[in-house]
Amino acid sequence: MNYLNSIKQNPITVDIILLIVRVFIGFAMLSHGFPKLQLLFSEEEITFYNFLGLGQKTSLILAVFAEFVCSIFIILGLFTRFSLGFLIITMFVAAFFVHSSDIFSKRELSLLYLSVYLLLFAMGPGKYSIDHMIDRRKETSW
């Protein structure tokens, strides 16, 4: 009962939960990025949100990079914070620009992704990640 009322954390539990959240949120975002990747390589005309006047195709390429490529990095725990930066920006744009005039239920998913990405950015990838293995190797080589 003390653990439930405590603000202390068990490091092993935190690392396992970070792994579970990284893998789940990574695969969940892949389900949004893969259709965009297919659209990018299809013969169909691209109709996509033109962020900052970059053009629809360029905006789609940036979204595919964030939602597909960066999600794979998140799952692996490789370049985690770098990848999260792209995903945070993408979800911010989705929530506050693309869906700015929509009702909350349309914005809710991008806001949930954004909040999880911010949490992962603050906590880092955890012990069960390639980033952790790289950091550990750097520490031993010095």
Side-chain angles (χ1 to χ4, degrees), residues 22 71-78 80 128-131:
R22 269 194 6 254
S71 291
I72 293 170
F73 286 145
I74 298 300
I75 292 166
L76 297 172
L78 178 63
T80 306
Y128 305 111
S129 66
I130 295 175
D131 285 340

Side-chain angles (χ1 to χ4, degrees), residues 25-36 67-68 71 113:
I25 206 76
F27 279 113
M29 183 51 73
L30 276 175
S31 71
H32 297 279
F34 187 67
K36 290 180 179 83
E67 294 180 12
F68 191 79
S71 291
Y113 277 114

Side-chain angles (χ1 to χ4, degrees), residues 13 22 29 33 40 45-46 51 53-54 56 66 77 82 94 96 100 102 105 115 118-120 124 134 140:
T13 305
R22 269 194 6 254
M29 183 51 73
L40 186 62
E45 180 184 349
I46 295 174
F51 182 64
L54 296 172
Q56 293 180 348
F82 177 77
F96 298 108
S100 63
D102 293 341
S105 63
S115 62
L118 288 170
L119 180 66
L120 283 172
I134 291 169
T140 59

